[in-house]
Amino acid sequence: MTGPKDLLEGAPSRPIRVPKAGEIFREGDRADALFRVDAGCVRLETDQEDGRRDVIAFLFPGDTFLAGLETRWASAYAVSASTLSRFTLRQLLDGREQDRTGAVALLSSIDEMLHDIIHRVALLSHATANARVAWFLGWLDERIGGDFPDEVHLPMTQRDIADFLGIAPETVSRVFRSLEASGQLRRTPDHRFRFRKNPDRNVTAVNAQRPGL
Amino acid sequence: MTGPKDLLEGAPSRPIRVPKAGEIFREGDRADALFRVDAGCVRLETDQEDGRRDVIAFLFPGDTFLAGLETRWASAYAVSASTLSRFTLRQLLDGREQDRTGAVALLSSIDEMLHDIIHRVALLSHATANARVAWFLGWLDERIGGDFPDEVHLPMTQRDIADFLGIAPETVSRVFRSLEASGQLRRTPDHRFRFRKNPDRNVTAVNAQRPGL
DNA sequence: CGGCGATTTGAATTACATCAATCTAGGTGG
DNA sequence: CCACCTAGATTGATGTAATTCAAATCGCCG
């Protein structure tokens, strides 16, 4: 989701500030603009009829998101207080000279998200809860770890993570605890963590509750 | 995935014929063209390092697919003998007058696939094997059922379906059998089926193997 | 006709969900 | 500034849907 930041450089945009938990748009809204995250963290989600929720993506500075060319197929909320740049589709598509640039920026943005989500499908199809959480931590570390060499801030709740990874929040908690026990994960009280990918030793099931024996 | 068929009407294309199981492109190839299915059925898939396979999408006449603007992030194979139209990206993006048309066609194509896949993520996150197969049959029925009022041809293998739905092929077989038993599904020897969405009565687990008793 | 992949079926195992009960912390109002 | 309050996180116990392993059968293609 590391978007085509540079492709949007020249395009006109309007700055947007969204408080923590603030709504950016909702599923079903008319889609008339593309957003770029400049600071903070944004959550893209869809709500199922049965009350369940699916987190489609977490977006960080540099990422762009659109979620629909006519109608939004997902809702967007700020996980933490965020600043965004808003680019209208009209401007991106209608300019004369910038025609290709704007369109290609859109294309890249969507295609990149598609690519990312394909990876998620693979993860959701086959990976265990352990592997999902490990992948998530590694991804987060790589994505936003640059700012803090040792410890990465975790802006979203465990419920968010659970809905992102397709597992129960209790399972997320258990995996975290298990990773801490094995030394792969260290957490601070202020929601920062340090994760190092272990060469897979000691990979037992999280909920390995030996049945009575 | 019912693509922007009309948007591509004027664009120049080259017809392609692919035999059953034939390769259209492979993950990692340079992406230089968009395809439209004119007849047959195409399977988009990615292969995991551990040998597992994920079927990203099944594509039918009218659908377009691209899978990457620079490099293919998935492989494409013909499930059954297929005919395709090939549109080069250069032509779609470089024309003068058609500029916006071609670009918008691409955008729509990608965005539509993204929308579809979001739905799959929801399915993979929460739905039971039963619900997955039922959804698949209903989708297939709706998508290609128009040709045959009563019976729909199932071009792909159960393994394909399993890899698409993120379940084991044995489970697919068991769900099919269970749906036949409940009367919701009728299968013919020549891989045709008739499915009617049952108002959910008798929805017991597929593998309901009563434990000893 | 022979062979190999696809499908079917069975039995045992298991990873995870679910239900339930604390425990904790951030935020609010007095 | 502190007590409360509520959402989030933790932890335990139990049930179960689906995987996995295994074996038999079917069916298509050469």
Side-chain angles (χ1 to χ4, degrees):
Chain A
M1 231 91 60
T2 41
K5 201 185 334 187
D6 41 338
L7 285 176
L8 290 169
E9 267 319 317
S13 68
R14 217 159 63 81
I16 306 273
R17 302 193 124 273
V18 190
K20 181 173 180 173
E23 174 186 319
I24 298 161
F25 54 72
R26 210 192 288 261
E27 196 171 346
D29 285 356
R30 232 180 74 70
D32 51 2
L34 169 144
F35 294 90
R36 182 183 63 209
V37 181
D38 292 325
C41 174
V42 168
R43 186 183 70 231
L44 227 51
E45 68 181 45
T46 61
D47 293 291
Q48 309 304 119
E49 53 293 334
D50 62 350
R52 288 179 188 271
R53 186 185 65 150
D54 285 295
V55 174
I56 307 299
F58 290 112
L59 302 154
F60 291 100
D63 294 337
T64 58
F65 59 102
L66 177 58
L69 287 172
E70 308 242 312
T71 302
R72 305 288 187 195
W73 43 250
S75 306
Y77 296 94
V79 171
S80 49
S82 304
T83 58
L84 314 171
S85 293
R86 183 176 188 279
F87 303 82
T88 68
L89 290 184
R90 175 173 301 281
Q91 285 172 325
L92 285 176
L93 286 173
D94 278 8
R96 266 158 312 156
E97 281 313 293
Q98 308 101 316
D99 226 7
R100 229 185 323 174
T101 306
V104 169
L106 283 175
L107 275 170
S108 301
S109 167
I110 302 183
D111 187 62
E112 211 151 342
M113 182 170 278
L114 189 48
H115 191 168
D116 273 16
I117 288 177
I118 292 305
H119 188 197
R120 294 262 320 291
V121 167
L123 198 77
L124 290 172
S125 295
H126 305 304
T128 64
N130 248 310
R132 295 182 198 203
V133 173
W135 168 83
F136 179 73
L137 289 175
W139 170 74
L140 211 59
D141 198 22
E142 204 168 279
R143 184 65 189 79
I144 59 174
D147 307 340
F148 297 81
D150 275 344
E151 299 195 329
V152 182
H153 183 240
L154 198 72
M156 67 290 289
T157 68
Q158 290 193 13
R159 168 159 289 282
D160 282 343
I161 298 172
D163 289 343
F164 182 62
L165 297 177
I167 55 184
E170 294 95 329
T171 303
V172 173
S173 174
R174 278 188 255 262
V175 174
F176 275 169
R177 182 167 154 287
S178 142
L179 287 174
E180 273 186 316
S182 76
Q184 289 182 75
L185 178 67
R186 199 158 48 89
R187 276 186 289 177
T188 67
D190 62 334
H191 289 241
R192 293 183 180 282
F193 74 92
R194 169 92 184 85
F195 177 67
R196 97 189 118 87
K197 298 178 191 163
N198 219 12
D200 74 37
R201 44 203 300 94
N202 292 343
V203 271
T204 41
V206 201
N207 292 20
Q209 308 171 25
R210 66 209 73 46
L213 273 188
Chain B
M1 233 91 60
T2 41
K5 198 184 340 187
D6 40 337
L7 285 177
L8 289 169
E9 266 320 316
S13 69
R14 218 159 61 81
I16 306 273
R17 303 192 122 273
V18 190
K20 182 173 181 172
E23 174 186 318
I24 298 160
F25 54 74
R26 211 191 288 260
E27 198 170 344
D29 285 356
R30 232 180 73 71
D32 51 2
L34 169 144
F35 293 90
R36 182 183 63 208
V37 181
D38 293 325
C41 174
V42 168
R43 187 183 69 231
L44 227 52
E45 68 182 43
T46 61
D47 293 291
Q48 310 303 119
E49 52 293 338
D50 63 349
R52 288 179 187 270
R53 185 185 65 152
D54 285 294
V55 174
I56 307 299
F58 291 113
L59 302 154
F60 291 101
D63 293 338
T64 57
F65 59 101
L66 177 57
L69 287 171
E70 307 243 312
T71 302
R72 305 289 187 192
W73 41 251
S75 306
Y77 295 95
V79 171
S80 49
S82 304
T83 59
L84 314 171
S85 293
R86 184 175 188 280
F87 303 82
T88 69
L89 290 184
R90 175 173 299 280
Q91 284 172 325
L92 285 176
L93 287 173
D94 279 8
R96 266 157 312 155
E97 282 313 293
Q98 306 102 317
D99 227 7
R100 227 182 328 172
T101 305
V104 169
L106 283 175
L107 275 170
S108 300
S109 168
I110 301 182
D111 186 63
E112 211 151 342
M113 184 171 276
L114 189 48
H115 192 168
D116 273 16
I117 289 176
I118 293 305
H119 187 199
R120 293 262 321 292
V121 168
L123 198 76
L124 290 172
S125 296
H126 305 305
T128 64
N130 247 310
R132 295 182 198 204
V133 173
W135 169 83
F136 178 74
L137 290 175
W139 171 75
L140 210 62
D141 197 23
E142 205 169 278
R143 183 68 189 79
I144 59 175
D147 307 340
F148 295 82
D150 275 344
E151 299 195 331
V152 182
H153 183 241
L154 197 71
M156 68 289 289
T157 67
Q158 290 192 2
R159 167 159 290 281
D160 282 342
I161 299 172
D163 289 343
F164 182 62
L165 296 178
I167 54 184
E170 294 95 327
T171 303
V172 173
S173 174
R174 279 187 256 261
V175 175
F176 275 169
R177 181 166 154 289
S178 142
L179 288 173
E180 274 185 314
S182 76
Q184 288 182 76
L185 178 67
R186 198 158 48 88
R187 276 185 290 178
T188 67
D190 62 335
H191 289 239
R192 293 183 179 281
F193 73 91
R194 168 92 185 83
F195 176 68
R196 98 189 118 87
K197 298 177 192 163
N198 220 11
D200 74 35
R201 42 200 302 92
N202 292 344
V203 270
T204 40
V206 203
N207 292 20
Q209 308 171 26
R210 65 211 76 46
L213 270 189

